[in-house]
Amino acid sequence: MELKLKKDTDKVQRAKAAQAKKENVQQEPSWVEIWESGYLTKNGKPKLGILQMNNSQTDKARLLEVKKAIEDGIIGTGLKNNQILTKTKALDLYRVLMEQRKIGILQEMVAKAPANYRLIQTLSQLEQLVEDLEREPFVALDTETTGLNVYRNEIVGISISLPNADYHVYIPVAHKTGKQLDRDCVLDALRPMLTNPDIGKVLHNAKYDIHMFIRHGVRMRGLLYDTRIAMALLNENETSYALKNLATKYGKHFGFKEESHTFEELFGKTRFDEVALDVALVYAAKDTHLTLELYKWQLDHLQKREKLLQLHRDIENPLVDVCVDMEQAGLLIDRNFAVEYGDELRHEIVVTEGKLKDAFGDINFNSPTQLAKVLYDQLELPDRNKRSTDVKTLKSLQGEHEGIAHLLNYRGLTKLLGTYVDALPEQIQSDGRLHGSFNQVQTVTGRFSSSEPNLQNLPPKARKLVIAPEGKLILGSDFSQIEPRILAHLSGDPLFREPYLRGQDLYSNLASRVFNVPIEDCADGSIYRKKMKIGLLAVMYGTSMFTLSQQLGITAEEAQQFIRDFFTSYPGVHKFIASVHEFVKTNEYVETIDGRKRRFPGYREHAKVYDALAGRICRLANTAEVPTNFWRVKEIPRSLKEEFRKVKGPVESVRRQSVNAIIQGTAADIMKKALLKLHAYCKNKGWELFATVHDEALMLVDERITLAQVQEIEECMLSAVNLDVPMKVDTELMRRWGEGFKKQDWFKNAA
């Protein structure tokens, strides 16, 4: 009887639970359940709340904005009947919310437009502006355009801020609607101001606007200041150098407390020539107004830092014109060679694919998954980097299987073909040349970089695409061993300087002394000299023992001993590097000879923790320095090893970067000063400086150039710096880049 009652009771409870579950499913989920706690679907399956889902940081922020906007009644859900809000629908609502906000922001911008923002729409207004401009020592200037390609797009308006007259204008010249003046008429009226070098121009990212004026037949002169470049000198760690983003971050210091919206935030994909003129005025005039005030604020900071001010005034600012001229000159691409070379590469790729199939089977060699399965599962090669198939990992596996060499060759051939030989001719502009971009402050050390194409990464074989025009030659002048020479100067180490002072080979001398072998055994091509070239870079830039061991094919302990032997042989170099580590620990920055700074905010505290932990490890291990294999030392508690591991990477990274910033940054400053001299020399001769790659300058010169003129070019570079060791320049002349002759051979053959 009791058993039957128990069964009946269980049955009733199950029925009640089922009914409760059914009723729960039939109920609409609450707002909290939809967003935060989740609910059961009609099928009884659990459903996560929108904010419980796997959301990116961006999506989470957007979803929270949508939730608040719905709760505040700003937007509705747009749902019908019993529809439940989903994550997809919520993200769609974010776009609706942003569009609604744009309209509100634009309306507010127009309503709150300052009284001294003026549209220039008539000839009389333009004439008054020109008259006022004549009384200005400098102005802030900007262009609005149909797009970002300076060789294809056009100016649709010009904005100018006049500091003395205290007003800011926008001159529409090619908007689709609204009263406006003809572009040629406006440019002719502004030409005296634009081309007058005595009227200073302040711009943000000036290079772009100079290109746009050239596009319409006006070469702007008199660049006084570029706020984009100056910001990189004042803080090379900025996450964004866009004007509006800088204004949002720093505007409170110079009178702009509200958020400044970017073009994309306000207009999305709308072209500026489609923007209404009242909106265009506020947006464009604010650009130059912001630039003007940012300039004043930055200048106040620079004037308190004389070396940085001088760096901007004497090097970076005049380099803008050099970059413009290099980009305008462009690269002449040999289209016929590209076609022939492309066919040759395709044939090589087919042959290499055959070798790969023999080695690894018929798989997709561009698929990391398929490749990893063959390498690590079937062939059981050593897994040194989480089943990676990148080039660095493949190089480390070269001795493990003969097919790896074919795979590396295949990677190189396909990249050469796809990224360069096939791609570069497609980027040629209407003038028949390829025009890239040179970026003078893109890197934190101040080194030049380039894009479209990246000349620094251009493979030697791809360089052959670039040829000299008829009647011209390509001349390349390259600083020889500039960074070791800078190290010799900065360290003051007499033994390290000695080879340079005596005109001897640096690497042979270093190898002989460090490896303790006769110098005759360290000649060019010897294993000792090759190892020293790699080892010196490790010393200069603090390469880890493990990386150096892989590069030299030795153990980590042997790599550490190599560094010890080097520092013992060259104590001045060791002292210099140690002094840099101490300086950055105290000051959280380092600087080049010319005062370019590399800042490491927050490093001091990391270094203190590192030193304390390293001290404890050394005491427990009874060593003078942290052992390379400290993980294996039993006397060190695991907790201490873990603590040290967390801080070791960041601290050693700053140590590497700090030494690198001084040496490489100083090399960058020297190269920039050399480019200024070369640019002036080439302009005087009617030649063109058209590119810079690493420590090399490339020029288009007359094919009748003389040896004396080549030596004058070299002197332009050598006179850019005065170190305690002599500088050296290597020069080649060529009709096709990459097929050059040393100057002595060129003129010997010419004779």
Side-chain angles (χ1 to χ4, degrees), residues 28 42 77-85:
E28 292 294 326
K42 291 180 179 180
T77 62
L79 299 176
K80 299 177 182 178
N81 302 326
N82 295 323
Q83 286 180 306
I84 297 172
L85 185 64

Side-chain angles (χ1 to χ4, degrees), residues 98 102 105-106 109 144 204 240-249 258-270 272 275 279 283-284 286-287 290:
M98 289 302 100
K102 283 180 192 175
I105 290 168
L106 293 174
M109 281 171 58
E144 299 299 341
H204 190 85
S240 170
Y241 290 95
L243 177 62
K244 297 300 197 307
N245 292 336
L246 291 176
T248 298
K249 183 175 180 179
E258 76 279 5
E259 182 180 1
S260 292
H261 299 280
T262 64
F263 184 94
E264 289 72 21
E265 289 171 340
L266 293 176
F267 307 114
K269 295 182 179 179
T270 302
F272 204 74
V275 174
V279 174
Y283 178 85
K286 185 178 181 181
D287 265 3
L290 280 172

Side-chain angles (χ1 to χ4, degrees), residues 377-447:
D377 297 336
Q378 296 178 18
L379 298 175
E380 298 182 346
L381 299 186
D383 183 2
R384 293 169 178 161
N385 188 22
K386 300 177 182 178
R387 297 175 66 84
S388 173
T389 60
D390 64 16
V391 170
K392 184 178 179 181
T393 304
L394 292 176
K395 284 182 177 179
S396 73
L397 293 172
Q398 280 190 92
E400 304 291 339
H401 192 282
E402 61 181 11
I404 300 295
H406 298 312
L407 188 54
L408 285 167
N409 185 42
Y410 175 78
R411 290 273 179 92
L413 290 171
T414 53
K415 182 174 182 179
L416 182 59
L417 178 65
T419 307
Y420 303 107
V421 178
D422 281 348
L424 293 186
E426 297 298 317
Q427 299 173 29
I428 294 173
Q429 301 292 342
S430 58
D431 64 353
R433 295 199 179 189
L434 174 64
H435 298 273
S437 176
F438 291 96
N439 310 301
Q440 64 192 88
V441 289
Q442 193 77 18
T443 65
V444 292
T445 61
R447 257 190 180 277

Side-chain angles (χ1 to χ4, degrees), residues 321-330 438 448 675 689-692:
D321 274 320
V322 177
C323 290
V324 169
D325 284 348
M326 288 196 297
E327 293 173 6
Q328 287 286 326
F438 291 96
F448 258 100
L675 289 172
L689 174 66
F690 74 92
T692 177

Side-chain angles (χ1 to χ4, degrees), residues 658-672:
S658 60
V659 177
N660 177 60
I662 296 173
I663 297 175
Q664 194 176 98
T666 294
D669 294 341
I670 292 170
M671 189 66 201
K672 287 178 173 180

Side-chain angles (χ1 to χ4, degrees), residues 307-352:
K307 290 181 83 172
L308 277 183
L309 178 65
Q310 187 175 342
L311 188 65
H312 181 271
R313 182 186 64 231
D314 298 342
I315 298 179
E316 295 296 356
N317 196 60
L319 264 175
V320 174
D321 274 320
V322 177
C323 290
V324 169
D325 284 348
M326 288 196 297
E327 293 173 6
Q328 287 286 326
L331 308 173
L332 182 60
I333 303 296
D334 187 340
R335 291 176 184 265
N336 293 330
F337 176 78
V339 172
E340 294 170 7
Y341 192 28
D343 291 341
E344 181 185 324
L345 287 172
R346 274 181 273 273
H347 174 72
E348 284 189 61
I349 289 170
V350 170
V351 172
T352 306

Side-chain angles (χ1 to χ4, degrees), residues 53 156 173 179 187 209-210 253 273 327 375 392 411 423 483 509 516 527 555 559 567 648 657 709 724:
M53 296 177 185
V156 302
V173 296
K179 182 179 179 180
L187 287 173
D209 300 284
I210 296 172
H253 301 297
D273 58 350
E327 293 173 6
L375 296 180
K392 184 178 179 181
R411 290 273 179 92
E483 292 181 15
N509 274 266
N516 195 26
I527 187 65
T555 66
F567 285 148
K648 181 176 182 289
Q657 291 179 68
Q709 289 171 328
D724 292 338

